[in-house]
Amino acid sequence: MTRDPYELRDLAHEAGRRLETATASQIIEWAVVEFGESFCVTSSFADAVLVHLVSSVAPGVEVVFLDTGLHFNETLGVREHVRRRLPVTVRSITPPLSVGRQDGEYGPRLWERDPDSCCAMRKVAPLADALGGYDAWATGLRRDESPTRADTRVVDFDATRKKVKVSPIARWTQADVDTYVARHDIPVNPLLSQGYGSVGCWPCTHRVAPGEDPRAGRWAMFEKTECGIHT
Ligand code: SF4
């Protein structure tokens, strides 16, 4: 039984204002106290910073991973590392259609023709289903990642899914992430040190030039910068 969406909305807006200058740990502590087991983390396993932060406050927390069937082996390696080393329960969510069945019903390599539909089927709808039993979810969004993420609030109301969306590291810079990774020996996707600024499904992820927007390598052939989960 999840809470009333209007109550969640008001709660999110108030907390977003109050916690704007709070530390990541303080934001997570608030979410854990407020939502208990109705709070989960989502991760794309570009790194395990957020998962590590949350699991240190709430051991046993559930981590939702959208397993599209099109991830790099390196990404699945980070997932396995997390599963073995951190006190969390990883829930890998798969879309209703396998990649093969999607090819059969919509034609091969839908991502080359209509990435919005592909993301809708393989990411957006599965996430909505996966979050159904929770009141709040944590994301690793950061304002400095991309202009599209510059307005990310530390706590917000996800009006699409009627959930509270918590972004504890929204105010962190890449330098903050690097410091945390080094201090806590956090698993990081090796592709990030091989020219990839951001890592998603392999068909839609390309290397970026030094100094380029880290997300410029995602859906590089399209006017698309987000999969739809955060928009
Ligand atoms: Fe499909 Fe690409 Fe979206 Fe993955 S990122 S779901 S392959 S369009």
Side-chain angles (χ1 to χ4, degrees):
M1 182 76 176
T2 54
R3 282 154 72 170
D4 175 60
Y6 293 105
E7 178 194 345
L8 293 177
R9 181 197 61 189
D10 294 346
L11 187 63
H13 290 166
E14 186 278 326
R17 287 189 292 272
R18 182 166 47 83
L19 296 172
E20 168 59 23
T21 58
T23 65
S25 292
Q26 288 170 332
I27 295 166
I28 294 165
E29 283 163 9
W30 168 80
V32 169
V33 169
E34 184 65 46
F35 301 109
E37 292 183 356
S38 198
F39 171 64
C40 69
V41 187
T42 55
S43 180
S44 60
F45 292 124
D47 62 50
V49 168
L50 180 70
V51 175
H52 184 271
L53 272 164
V54 178
S55 69
S56 63
V57 175
V61 69
E62 294 191 340
V63 178
V64 172
F65 171 66
L66 298 175
D67 190 350
T68 61
L70 293 158
H71 284 293
F72 290 98
N73 285 335
E74 287 86 345
T75 302
L76 302 181
V78 175
R79 177 182 65 176
E80 191 55 29
H81 205 72
V82 165
R83 205 197 299 269
R84 288 170 187 240
R85 280 188 39 187
L86 295 181
V88 297
T89 301
V90 176
R91 288 182 60 206
S92 292
I93 307 298
T94 54
L97 292 183
S98 66
V99 175
R101 281 187 56 203
Q102 178 174 295
D103 285 352
E105 292 191 22
Y106 294 89
R109 298 182 300 282
L110 180 62
W111 50 85
E112 291 181 355
R113 292 173 283 111
D114 186 357
D116 285 342
S117 294
C118 188
C119 280
M121 285 189 283
R122 312 204 73 72
K123 289 186 171 186
V124 179
L127 179 67
D129 287 345
L131 293 182
Y134 302 101
D135 285 323
W137 57 301
T139 81
L141 293 179
R142 296 197 337 264
R143 293 173 187 167
D144 79 339
E145 286 180 293
S146 163
T148 57
R149 298 184 173 188
D151 296 327
T152 301
R153 297 179 185 170
V154 295
V155 181
D156 205 352
F157 182 62
D158 175 353
T160 304
R161 302 170 192 89
K162 309 284 188 279
K163 309 290 178 187
V164 175
K165 185 174 176 179
V166 184
S167 301
I169 60 172
R171 293 189 294 111
W172 284 27
T173 63
Q174 183 61 51
D176 293 328
V177 172
D178 295 343
T179 300
Y180 192 90
V181 164
R183 183 174 297 157
H184 298 282
D185 190 23
I186 302 294
V188 174
N189 196 313
L191 297 175
L192 291 175
S193 56
Q194 295 171 27
Y196 294 88
S198 170
V199 179
C201 297
W202 63 261
C204 304
T205 303
H206 303 278
R207 289 182 169 86
V208 295
E212 200 176 6
D213 179 343
R215 293 185 61 79
R218 305 286 295 276
W219 306 282
M221 305 299 287
F222 295 88
E223 296 284 318
K224 177 177 170 71
T225 55
E226 297 281 350
C227 63
I229 285 173
H230 300 298
T231 52

